[in-house]
Amino acid sequence: MIRFENVGLRYGMGPEILRDLTFQIEPQSFQFLTGPSGAGKTSLIRLLFMSLRPTRGLIRVFDRDLSVISKQELPELRRKIGVVFQDFRLLDHLTTYENVALPLRVLGKEESDYRADVIELLKWVGLGDRMHVLPPVLSGGEKQRAAIARALITRPDMLLADEPTGNVDPPLARRLLRLFIELNKLGTSVVIATHDIALLEQVDARRMVLADGRLSIFD
Ligand SMILES: Nc1ncnc2c1ncn2[C@@H]1O[C@H](COP(=O)(O)OP(=O)(O)OP(=O)(O)O)[C@@H](O)[C@H]1O
Ligand SMILES: [Mg+2]
């Protein structure tokens, strides 16, 4: 699904943040991405989402070499990927419902076709009674769940989630983890960046550990 070969990343003239990363994300796989703060988890998520290009090395996405993919083609590829950003990136002038429905609207779908799905997903993440409020009045955990719902609404082939349980209490973190596991069983590859040890201990999943710019993988 995604393959990295000797990928390196630096920002500007800074030091190499990621060095010699070689790994694959298989279809329908489940993995945690861990490592201390500043290790490069968010940077790696951005590389996987193609919002950042590597400084060196090769990235293949859905069997295509990223270096020859044009800017115009990126949205099409990204459509297969759902992403939950560490800082949520909800649009403050749209309601929770509208934020979650937005990816479908962008695809040109009719509201009558997706309305029930959006409401069901919002209920699933526990936001059934927060649908019609604007993000600025949501709590951190509510924003997080809205961002997760927005990433899932298109039923992506791959879900990238950056610290998706950073703002929720342990019971809700467990519930979200179950949601990710269920999603994975339905065929979506899942990559969760986290330093939440309690979360890691709940699933026997592949671990990708970043330290000093290098990646170690424990299957
Ligand atoms: N846009 C940027 N420009 C320059 N340096 C950056 C940029 N983004 C990240 N960095 C640097 O790259 C390194 C890795 O950052 P990154 O955000 O990927 O780490 P992280 O593992 O996600 O950390 P955290 O657990 O705190 O979220 C850090 O040293 C950071 O300062
Ligand atoms: Mg981060």
Side-chain angles (χ1 to χ4, degrees):
M1 177 162 262
I2 295 201
R3 198 147 75 105
F4 277 46
E5 268 174 43
N6 304 108
V7 168
L9 175 74
R10 64 172 80 229
Y11 289 101
M13 298 303 283
E16 213 168 30
I17 302 291
L18 300 173
R19 270 183 289 160
D20 269 330
L21 266 52
T22 298
F23 66 93
Q24 284 186 187
I25 304 288
E26 306 284 355
Q28 306 184 21
S29 59
F30 191 108
Q31 43 260 303
F32 287 114
L33 172 61
T34 66
S37 180
K41 300 181 295 296
T42 297
S43 303
L44 181 48
I45 293 280
R46 291 181 64 201
L47 285 172
L48 288 166
F49 189 56
M50 301 170 279
S51 63
L52 202 59
R53 299 249 175 179
T55 321
R56 55 191 186 83
L58 181 85
I59 298 183
R60 289 184 73 81
V61 185
F62 302 111
D63 259 326
R64 308 253 335 255
D65 178 350
L66 182 62
S67 67
V68 301
I69 294 173
S70 68
K71 267 206 162 106
Q72 291 72 24
E73 289 178 281
L74 277 181
E76 178 76 40
L77 281 174
R78 281 204 188 120
R79 225 160 268 163
K80 303 180 188 199
I81 304 176
V83 62
V84 182
F85 297 103
Q86 201 165 6
D87 53 2
F88 317 130
R89 303 195 196 173
L90 299 168
L91 297 178
D92 285 348
H93 62 285
L94 299 181
T95 65
T96 307
Y97 169 89
E98 288 165 343
N99 265 281
V100 173
L102 189 62
L104 299 174
R105 243 178 70 195
V106 169
L107 289 175
K109 302 224 188 291
E110 291 293 325
E111 203 200 352
S112 52
D113 291 336
Y114 62 66
R115 196 180 155 73
D117 287 349
V118 172
I119 292 171
E120 191 191 325
L121 186 56
L122 280 165
K123 284 185 180 155
W124 216 102
V125 298
L127 291 176
D129 56 353
R130 305 300 273 156
M131 265 189 260
H132 303 299
V133 303
L134 299 176
V137 307
L138 295 177
S139 74
E142 288 170 340
K143 282 184 198 159
Q144 188 134 51
R145 284 177 275 154
I148 290 170
R150 184 185 53 189
L152 297 183
I153 194 65
T154 53
R155 300 167 196 269
D157 292 335
M158 180 162 79
L159 175 74
L160 306 172
D162 199 353
E163 299 287 354
T165 58
N167 294 275
V168 300
D169 53 33
L172 185 56
R174 280 196 293 277
R175 217 172 124 218
L176 290 176
L177 184 61
R178 281 208 302 278
L179 173 69
F180 295 140
I181 292 169
E182 236 170 80
L183 188 76
N184 175 244
K185 283 189 182 140
L186 292 171
T188 300
S189 286
V190 176
V191 181
I192 300 176
T194 185
H195 37 215
D196 182 349
I197 303 293
L199 194 73
L200 291 171
E201 284 170 349
Q202 288 169 45
V203 197
D204 184 23
R206 183 181 193 219
R207 288 187 200 194
M208 304 169 64
V209 184
L210 277 174
D212 302 322
R214 307 239 175 218
L215 184 70
S216 312
I217 295 185
F218 302 91
D219 282 300

